[in-house]
Amino acid sequence: MGIAEYQAYGYFGLTAFLVFALYSYIYHLYSTDKKDGGHDYENYSNIALNDDISDAPVSPISDDKEK
Amino acid sequence: MENRPLEYDYTVAKMFMFTTVVLGIVGMLVGVILAFQLAYPEVNTILGEGLAEYTNFSRLRPLHTDAVIFGFTFSGIWATWYYVGQRVLKVSMAESALLMFLGKLHFWLYLVGVAAVVVSLLMGITTSKEYAEFEWPIDIAIVVVWVIWGLGLFGLIGIRREKSLYISIWYYIATFLGIAMLYLFNNMEIPTMLATNAAGESGIGAWYHSVSMYSGTNDALVQWWYGHNAVAFGFTVPIVAMIYYFLPKESGQAIYSYKLSLLSFWGLMFVYLWAGGHHLLYSTVPDWMQTMGSIFSVILILPSWGSAINMLLTMKGEWQQVAASPLIKFMVLGSTFYMFSTLEGPIQAIKSVNAIAHFTDWIVGHVHDGVLGWVGFMIMAALFHMAPRVFKREIYSKSLMATQFWIQTLGVVLYFTSMWIAGITQGMMWRAHDEFGNLAYSFIDTVTVLHPYYTIRGVGGLLYLVGFLMFAYNMYKTMSARPVEESELQSASPMGA
Amino acid sequence: MFHWLEKHPFFFAVGVFLVISFAGLIEILPNFAQASRPVIGTAPYSTLELTGRHVYIKNSCNACHSQLVRPFKSETDRYGHYSLSGEYAYDRPFLWGSKRTGPDLWRVGNYRTTDWHENHMKDPAGVVPGSIMPAYTWMFTNKADVDTAYAEQLTVAQFFSVPYNKPVPMKDGSAKVVKMGNSVAEANALALAEAQVIAADMKDQNVKDAVARGEIPEIVALIAYLNSLK
Ligand code: HEM
């Protein structure tokens, strides 16, 4: 089998994988705010809008440590 | 502990704002000179016969491209990074002496690099590869500057208070990684020093000379994989980072769809790298690669428009702001030009169109509706937004800003319309045959016919430069002539008459 | 998983890197071996030609000229046979260019001569009325840098096995040997011998005198390079 064939298989396989990943990402984005413990992605817009140093972070680092 | 409340520290941002303005003026001035050299070749000897070696078109052209890309654009990217980065991560540079030191080191080394580049390009020391003209000693310096930026970038992210990374940060990270990868691979070269030393002879010829690791077709392939993607990671990705922060912030509107912004991000990352092949259509690179280049270039419209439409829709219900604020005008027109050039690019990448468009001035026109209308406008808008906050003063003059907007818009329109006509005329004339199957035009016919369009382009470029000088003046006056404000500013930037 | 990635900058960066390096890996690497094989009739550049190539690069002629003939009738009529990948095997860097403000030069050696170039480089608009090409007058006085070209020859011979001092097959079945000096002095002597042939066809007295003195002005090297493009 020549290098061109490996190339073609590699190309096909990786593209298929990335397309799959992209679609599951879309699913994730739109389903997570309905789940328990999920969150609404649109809230992240506020990271820019409330970006004063004294504003409360949208998802503070300390949240994580408590878990 | 300290008594003063913690504040964001914009020291490094200010330094890069300064180089954005200065190198912008230099780069664009050279651009205007180039434009007039093509219209009036006498301009090649503008400083006299004796200096023509340094002032002619071909010596200056790399200086233009590198000054506007690595000077103006990258300074702008870093000025905004050292501003936006702190704010969306909610951590101040003042909190870490190390990060502060890295930031300043980044700036000063960058400045040394810029000086070395200017001198070497004027001397004609170049590898000839577009946007990668530097010989290996400068390449190494560039890598060092880049690594220092990377340390600062990930360092700041490391001490952040905001757990989630805002979309702009994603784009800055991608800029960092993308350019690093591209630059390293494209500049693989062997200093001649290595061979001559091994042969027992030391120091034959210029010590800084090197030979590309790749030859011929491969070299072209790697170069355009780089060249195209340097555009992606220098002119698209970081500028999108800017607009995702500055437009919502200035208008006070949340991004229309944050999810769409994330999706477009991954789309762009995946698709962009494939499109480089469109620079090499009908060349000697393998056919399937050319075809991939074409197809992916067309697919690229999707993620590009995803971002652009997202920005325009962010203004939904708030269109009166576009009329009222020149700053918003810059950003909205910038997004529009982005849509325009990301549509135009894929059209040029279709093989049959490319057969006519390649090697013509249409490509130059395409480059400039993107860089003048999108990159230039967005960087100036970002600096306008930052100025009142970093200097704590309102912008010196709103009416000057509005005038600048219209002058520059006219400049861009003159530039790309004239180059469209020039390019298509040129492309059609090259391929025209008469009824006996002979070429209809000699080459020089296709040169002289362009004179009027080259002149119009020069005028358009001059208008843009004039607008940029107005911008520089407005910034200068903002720094010096306005009283200091006390309160921290929220969304819309305050502007004087 | 996705959400986790978004909060861990390091792994996020790894993810981005994988996605963007994908195209490069698949698209570029596998074709390297194939494309770099020279076609029959392609010989490495001689010392003087390579010196001229450096002059070409130093002055960024590639800012206005391409060196790539595409497979269209209009181009082959104008410039000659379309380009083949293997013809570029010794081109480091490639000089295809991205724009034709001036005509393609890949086969200019077939239809332009030394004295034509001499006049044209000195005063393009004098030879071709309406030309917007700059005049390159300083090339008639600047001295060419043969040493650097020699250093480059040493480098490509050592690292990329470019066949200097070895027979390379030509189209007519014969073999051609492109010589490379064994020392700087020898390389300069080789270059000078080539330069004398070119200078004999030139009119500029200063250039002739310089070559007679053993110096090589940039223009002579450049013309040697342009003549080699066939
Ligand atoms: C005052 C504004 C400007 C003028 C008058 C101008 C003029 C020019 C001219 C005359 C050329 C050479 C075209 C040719 O070779 O035929 C050029 C090339 C180029 N300029 Fe500009 N320029 C301006 C601003 C900019 C800016 C702001 C950028 C980027 C941020 C930029 C990026 C480039 C690039 C990338 C090229 C190379 C194009 C190619 O190879 O196709 N220019 N410009």
Side-chain angles (χ1 to χ4, degrees), chain B residues 24 27-36 38 57 61 64-69 72-73 130-131 224 231 235 360-361 363-365 367-368 370-372 375-376 379 415 419 454 457-458 460-466 468, chain C residues 63-64 98-99 101:
Chain B
M28 292 181 206
L29 179 66
V30 176
V32 173
I33 295 175
L34 292 180
F36 280 106
L38 290 182
F57 179 88
R61 191 181 189 268
H64 166 64
T65 52
D66 289 329
V68 287
I69 297 175
F72 169 68
T73 308
E130 280 184 77
Y131 330 127
W224 285 114
V231 172
F235 287 162
T360 71
D361 283 314
I363 308 295
V364 178
V367 169
H368 287 87
V371 292
L372 300 178
V375 180
I379 290 179
Y415 197 125
M419 286 301 98
Y454 281 152
R457 186 255 303 266
L462 190 62
L463 289 178
Y464 197 88
L465 176 67
V466 167
F468 197 79
Chain C
C64 285
S98 60
K99 197 184 50 120
T101 303

Side-chain angles (χ1 to χ4, degrees), chain B residues 71-72 92 99 103 176 184 236 243 276 300 343 356 423 437-438 459 475 497:
Chain B
F72 169 68
S92 167
L99 289 178
F176 172 76
L184 281 180
T236 302
I243 199 163
L300 194 52
L343 180 64
I356 299 184
N438 300 321
V459 172
M475 292 300 269

Side-chain angles (χ1 to χ4, degrees), chain B residues 228-484:
Chain B
H228 176 75
N229 296 307
V231 172
F233 289 95
F235 287 162
T236 302
V237 171
I239 313 297
V240 174
M242 289 179 202
I243 199 163
Y244 272 131
Y245 174 82
F246 289 105
L247 186 62
K249 195 63 190 165
E250 180 69 28
S251 65
Q253 294 276 93
I255 294 181
Y256 172 70
S257 164
Y258 195 82
K259 296 188 196 78
L260 180 58
S261 76
L262 302 182
L263 276 177
S264 314
F265 175 84
W266 288 110
L268 201 69
M269 288 305 114
F270 174 53
V271 179
Y272 225 121
L273 272 289
W274 280 96
H278 67 216
H279 286 261
L280 300 169
L281 299 179
Y282 296 109
S283 73
T284 62
V285 306
D287 276 342
W288 74 274
M289 263 181 224
Q290 302 185 16
T291 309
M292 294 312 297
S294 266
I295 294 175
F296 273 100
S297 302
V298 175
I299 300 180
L300 194 52
I301 298 179
L302 293 174
S304 306
W305 280 43
S307 302
I309 289 176
N310 210 354
M311 288 341 299
L312 292 177
L313 286 178
T314 298
M315 295 309 296
K316 205 171 79 176
E318 287 288 324
W319 289 102
Q320 80 281 359
Q321 287 198 28
V322 180
S325 158
L327 221 174
I328 302 262
K329 276 201 195 69
F330 272 110
M331 292 198 259
V332 167
L333 195 74
S335 319
T336 315
F337 267 114
Y338 179 53
M339 287 179 80
F340 178 65
S341 53
T342 50
L343 180 64
E344 189 187 11
I347 291 177
Q348 291 178 333
I350 297 170
K351 270 188 136 183
S352 52
V353 179
N354 191 267
I356 299 184
H358 193 54
F359 289 136
T360 71
D361 283 314
W362 186 8
I363 308 295
V364 178
H366 164 65
V367 169
H368 287 87
D369 54 54
V371 292
L372 300 178
W374 157 242
V375 180
F377 272 24
M378 193 53 225
I379 290 179
M380 288 187 293
L383 263 58
F384 270 135
H385 175 93
M386 286 159 64
R389 290 157 179 90
V390 305
F391 301 122
K392 295 206 167 63
R393 290 166 156 113
E394 68 179 16
I395 290 174
Y396 174 66
S397 166
K398 180 181 175 181
S399 50
L400 191 61
M401 210 166 146
T403 319
Q404 177 204 339
F405 174 80
W406 291 111
I407 290 184
Q408 290 194 311
T409 305
L410 179 63
V412 181
V413 172
L414 287 180
Y415 197 125
F416 78 78
T417 46
S418 60
M419 286 301 98
W420 261 44
I421 304 176
I424 293 174
T425 307
Q426 214 176 5
M428 299 306 275
M429 283 175 81
W430 286 343
R431 58 175 15 217
H433 286 89
D434 62 16
E435 66 265 41
F436 308 110
N438 300 321
L439 290 171
Y441 301 98
S442 69
F443 195 88
I444 190 68
D445 298 339
T446 72
V447 175
T448 46
V449 70
L450 300 180
H451 176 76
Y453 309 113
Y454 281 152
T455 311
I456 295 172
R457 186 255 303 266
V459 172
L462 190 62
L463 289 178
Y464 197 88
L465 176 67
V466 167
F468 197 79
L469 292 172
M470 293 164 79
F471 163 72
Y473 178 75
N474 214 347
M475 292 300 269
Y476 170 72
K477 282 299 212 183
T478 303
M479 283 166 61
S480 53
R482 285 281 167 186
V484 175

